[in-house]
Amino acid sequence: MNKIDKTYNLLERISTLFRSEIRLAGIQHGLHPVHIEVLSYLSRCNRLSNTPASVSEYLGVTKGTISQSISLLESKELLEKVADEKDRRVVHLNLTDKGKQLIENSMPPTSFRSPLEKFSEDEVDNLHRLLDTLLNGIQKCNKRAGFSHCKTCVFNSPKSPSEFYCELTKEELPWEDGYLICREHAMCK
C-alpha cells in the first residue's frame, strides 16, 4: 500500500468514527448529525461568519437543509436569530447558553480528546502543522473558502499582545477573536 492510500484509509476511518460520535451526541438530544455540526461551527466562528449562508457553505449542505436545521435548533432553544445592526436584511445565528453547554459537553468527543492528551506538545504541534497543510491543499484543489482562524489570515495585522487589526473589515479586534473561524479567511503567502 502506498503512502497516499494509507493516509486516505487512516483519515477515512478517523472520519467515520468521528461521524459516529457526532451521531451519538445528537441522539441524546433528539438531534441529527447536521444539527450538532451547525452548533459546533457556530461555537467556533466569528461574527462575520455566523450567518445561514456561511453555515451552509462551511458544511457543504443546501440552504434548505440549513434553514430546516436552524428552525429546529431555534425551537429547541439552542440558537437564536439576531438581525444585523447595520444591515437588517442580514441574520446572525447565536448560540444560546443551552446550545453552548450542549457543544461544550459533547465536542470534541472524549474518544478523540483522550488519545490526543497522551501526545507530547511537540507531537501535537507537528500533527497540527501537517493537518493544516493537508487541509489548505484540499481547499485549494476544491476552490473552497478558507474558513480558518483569523490569526493565520493575510488580513491580520497584530497591534499589541491583546488585539489585532483586520485589514478586510477595517477594525481592531481582541486577540481571542483570532482563534475563531472566519469565512473571509485568506491564507498568508
Side-chain angles (χ1 to χ4, degrees):
M1 180 180 301
N2 67 40
K3 66 181 180 178
I4 292 172
D5 289 341
K6 182 170 180 157
T7 303
Y8 169 80
N9 289 339
L10 288 168
L11 290 173
E12 189 275 334
R13 185 62 187 140
I14 290 169
S15 297
T16 301
L17 290 171
F18 187 70
R19 283 191 310 272
S20 176
E21 292 289 331
I22 290 174
R23 193 171 28 261
L24 290 173
I27 287 171
Q28 297 173 26
H29 303 283
L31 302 172
H32 292 287
V34 69
H35 303 138
I36 297 293
E37 291 169 347
V38 168
L39 295 172
S40 179
Y41 169 75
L42 290 172
S43 74
R44 299 175 291 128
C45 73
N46 67 17
R47 61 184 176 71
L48 298 174
S49 307
N50 66 351
T51 64
S54 294
V55 176
S56 175
E57 186 177 359
Y58 182 81
L59 295 178
V61 297
T62 66
K63 290 178 184 174
T65 297
I66 292 304
S67 179
Q68 290 176 353
S69 296
I70 290 167
S71 294
L72 180 119
L73 294 169
E74 196 175 25
S75 75
K76 290 184 174 274
E77 299 178 348
L78 297 169
L79 67 75
E80 61 185 359
K81 295 179 190 173
V82 178
D84 188 271
E85 292 176 10
K86 295 177 184 170
D87 184 349
R88 304 301 275 176
R89 296 171 297 173
V90 176
V91 173
H92 294 279
L93 305 171
N94 297 326
L95 294 184
T96 62
D97 289 341
K98 185 177 173 182
K100 289 175 189 173
Q101 193 65 48
L102 187 152
I103 289 301
E104 193 174 296
N105 291 339
S106 58
M107 292 295 134
T110 303
S111 62
F112 282 77
R113 188 183 314 259
S114 295
L116 287 172
E117 287 172 345
K118 294 176 182 160
F119 286 21
S120 72
E121 198 149 328
D122 286 343
E123 289 171 323
V124 171
D125 289 344
N126 193 40
L127 178 62
H128 290 172
R129 185 182 54 75
L130 293 170
L131 290 173
D132 277 340
T133 301
L134 178 62
L135 175 61
N136 292 328
I138 292 169
Q139 287 173 326
K140 283 179 186 173
C141 284
N142 291 339
K143 296 179 173 74
R144 301 290 291 272
F147 281 103
S148 196
H149 302 117
C150 292
K151 67 182 180 134
T152 63
C153 182
V154 70
F155 298 118
N156 181 321
S157 295
K159 287 294 196 193
S160 73
S162 63
E163 63 185 11
F164 67 95
Y165 183 76
C166 177
E167 300 286 346
L168 182 67
T169 63
K170 307 293 185 215
E171 60 187 326
E172 291 183 5
L173 298 165
W175 194 245
E176 303 84 55
D177 284 9
Y179 294 95
L180 298 175
I181 296 171
C182 184
R183 179 184 196 185
E184 303 300 332
H185 182 273
M187 188 54 101
C188 295
K189 302 271 187 225

